[in-house]
Amino acid sequence: QVQLAESGGGSVQAGGSLTLSCEGSGHTCMGWFRQAPGMKREAVAGIDSDGNINYASPVKGRFSISQNNDKSLLILQMNSLKPEDTAMYYCAADLLAPVRCMTAIRALGAEAYFRTWGPGTQVTVSS
């Protein structure tokens, strides 16, 4: 099974920025998830093969998801970071069609719709 590989995590002070990258191609639906200690994994943002994008409410206006031209790299630009953004961030992918992809990323338990995952990268935001 094709694996994904995240990079770009690290530690930053509140108000700072980080850019996460995920190497992986051949998927029609890709997303970023995060999981804080003791919390459930939650969807952060998703993008489908038509370029439709969805963001979770806590990150709207601060995070931006994108892909490079050949869609081999998924990027999450994170600005105005807050301590509550501290979590392990995961890249996920599947072959969902565009409409199904957007529905999935917004669903409760969205992670169940994605079959390919990266190992995660830690993001720590200090106050």
Side-chain angles (χ1 to χ4, degrees):
Q1 190 175 13
V2 175
Q3 296 297 312
L4 304 174
E6 305 96 338
S7 61
S11 297
V12 66
Q13 289 192 324
S17 299
L18 283 173
T19 303
L20 305 183
S21 298
C22 173
E23 293 186 35
S25 60
H27 302 92
T28 56
C29 179
M30 298 194 75
W32 287 99
F33 289 73
R34 66 185 182 187
Q35 187 168 18
M39 304 293 287
K40 292 183 178 180
R41 191 170 297 189
E42 61 178 0
V44 173
I47 185 168
D48 67 25
S49 56
D50 286 347
N52 298 306
I53 289 172
N54 187 79
Y55 296 102
S57 296
V59 307
K60 279 183 181 177
R62 300 188 297 121
F63 290 13
S64 176
I65 188 172
S66 62
Q67 291 177 292
N68 63 351
N69 287 339
D70 65 3
K71 298 186 178 179
S72 63
L73 197 65
L74 181 71
I75 298 163
L76 185 69
Q77 177 65 43
M78 305 186 294
N79 299 324
S80 302
L81 282 162
K82 304 176 181 180
E84 51 263 44
D85 294 318
T86 295
M88 185 72 80
Y89 281 70
Y90 299 90
C91 175
D94 208 281
L95 297 174
L96 299 170
V99 172
R100 182 72 171 155
C101 179
M102 289 295 102
T103 300
I105 203 71
R106 289 191 291 261
L108 192 66
E111 65 272 18
Y113 293 90
F114 293 80
R115 290 173 289 182
T116 303
W117 291 82
T121 186
Q122 179 67 38
V123 171
T124 302
V125 185
S126 58
S127 57

